[in-house]
Amino acid sequence: MGRLTGKVAIITGGAGGIGAATGRLFCEEGCRIALVDVTAETLSDVAREIRSAVPDAEILEIPADVGDESAARPIVERTLDAFGQVDILVNIAGIRSYELLADAKAETWQKILGVNLLSYAYLAKEALPALRKAEKGSIVNVSSTHAVNPRAGMGQYDVTKAGILSLTKTLAFEEVEHGVRVNAVCPGLTLTPFHVKRANAAGRTEQDLRTEKVDHNIQKRWADAREVAYPILWLASDEASFVTASTLMVDGGTRV
Ligand SMILES: NC(=O)c1ccc[n+]([C@@H]2O[C@H](COP(=O)([O-])OP(=O)(O)OC[C@H]3O[C@@H](n4cnc5c(N)ncnc54)[C@H](O)[C@@H]3O)[C@@H](O)[C@H]2O)c1
């Protein structure tokens, strides 16, 4: 028996670093998953990798732009058609913006709010009827340490991540009577393809990132995506049955 045997999860941002690691871990633990991401091709690549690592994995690939409100209902409907239930929603999809607030454009605000914050609300709203029916439904929202520790230069992103924490608590309070738990995970520096590409563009390698001593946390290193996936798994599972409205920092002990 896996820790999620018999459960069905929708995972957004499923082709990204943390999303793919979460999808794989959920499959290893017996969960059937709907992996959602914006590009069909990258989604297929990740699903193929998971199937080769976990041969009995049951994965529904759903290419969709979750920032578009109209995408939410078909995502839930397709998952229900394929698997008959939804027990877990993991919102991971995210984009970054590096505009100073003094220069921030309305279209960038709308885009980043749509993907990083509103998609979490839209998906939750559409999944709630099924999550309530599941009786032990669980939502895990991926935020960031910068939700509580904002910095100069990524104000729009940090605002969306702070909003996720507020959304998480309100949803938890509203849904407790329906048996749905809602929690947030705040990752710190996590080594994902996004950061590897940025490092490569600056002339540095993945190995450089793996060996550098970082100042952001007391472990002085980057997390592997799987180290973020494990806390997501725990919060999603019935093992965390008394945990709701919580924010779990997964940050190697970040210095504020
Ligand atoms: N990697 C880190 O250091 C770190 C730290 C804190 C928080 N986070 C958060 O964790 C999450 C995953 O981060 P990651 O590093 O794996 O990033 P990533 O860029 O690899 O993954 C994000 C995924 O979201 C998908 N996505 C973007 N817009 C979408 C849309 N409109 N519709 C559907 N999918 C969309 C992307 O295609 C991508 O696959 C993000 O929310 C990020 O903000 C990451």
Side-chain angles (χ1 to χ4, degrees):
M1 284 282 281
R3 292 165 68 184
L4 297 179
T5 296
K7 306 255 190 201
V8 171
I10 295 173
I11 302 172
T12 75
I18 293 172
T22 302
R24 175 175 166 167
L25 185 57
F26 275 36
C27 289
E28 288 172 9
E29 294 296 339
C31 196
R32 290 172 287 165
I33 62 167
L35 264 193
V36 183
D37 210 295
V38 78
T39 314
E41 206 182 353
T42 48
L43 205 48
S44 293
D45 291 344
V46 167
R48 197 176 317 110
E49 282 166 25
I50 296 175
R51 287 189 187 101
S52 81
V54 188
D56 58 353
E58 290 187 58
I59 306 170
L60 174 67
E61 298 163 37
I62 306 183
D65 174 357
V66 294
D68 178 354
E69 182 195 359
S70 67
R73 184 165 297 176
I75 289 169
V76 175
E77 284 173 351
R78 285 194 59 192
T79 308
L80 287 170
D81 286 348
F83 298 133
Q85 65 195 74
V86 179
D87 306 272
I88 297 163
L89 168 64
V90 189
N91 284 309
I92 305 181
I95 54 175
R96 283 97 170 166
S97 156
Y98 299 92
E99 289 174 358
L100 296 174
L101 292 187
D103 305 323
K105 294 187 268 310
E107 68 186 83
T108 324
W109 271 116
Q110 278 153 16
K111 173 88 179 148
I112 201 164
L113 283 165
V115 176
N116 290 19
L117 181 60
L118 297 180
S119 81
Y120 288 36
Y122 299 149
L123 255 304
K125 180 182 175 188
E126 294 300 336
L128 276 173
L131 291 169
R132 289 173 178 179
K133 209 170 156 196
E135 290 180 356
K136 291 179 179 171
S138 175
I139 299 175
V140 184
N141 293 323
V142 172
S143 173
S144 162
T145 52
H146 293 294
V148 294
N149 186 20
R151 64 220 135 148
M154 285 186 77
Q156 294 163 307
Y157 175 90
D158 294 349
V159 163
T160 65
K161 294 299 180 181
I164 289 169
L165 300 189
S166 181
L167 174 82
T168 297
K169 281 201 184 280
T170 303
L171 256 182
F173 298 150
E174 291 180 356
E175 290 305 311
V176 66
E177 65 184 287
H178 301 290
V180 180
R181 294 181 300 105
V182 191
N183 293 288
V185 165
C186 288
L189 276 184
T190 307
L191 197 50
T192 60
F194 172 84
H195 287 292
V196 172
K197 265 189 223 138
R198 283 195 88 209
N200 290 163
R204 305 181 67 223
T205 65
E206 179 172 345
Q207 194 51 28
D208 291 338
L209 299 185
R210 286 197 181 280
T211 50
E212 75 179 348
K213 295 259 184 247
V214 301
D215 284 335
H216 302 69
N217 61 66
I218 59 175
Q219 295 193 6
K220 297 198 173 298
R221 66 175 178 86
W222 290 74
D224 193 76
R226 200 167 161 93
E227 294 179 283
V228 178
Y230 267 111
I232 294 173
L233 164 72
W234 178 68
L235 286 170
S237 79
D238 296 342
E239 296 165 14
S241 54
F242 200 51
V243 184
T244 194
S246 277
T247 298
L248 182 53
M249 308 307 286
V250 184
D251 60 4
T254 289
R255 293 183 197 282
V256 179

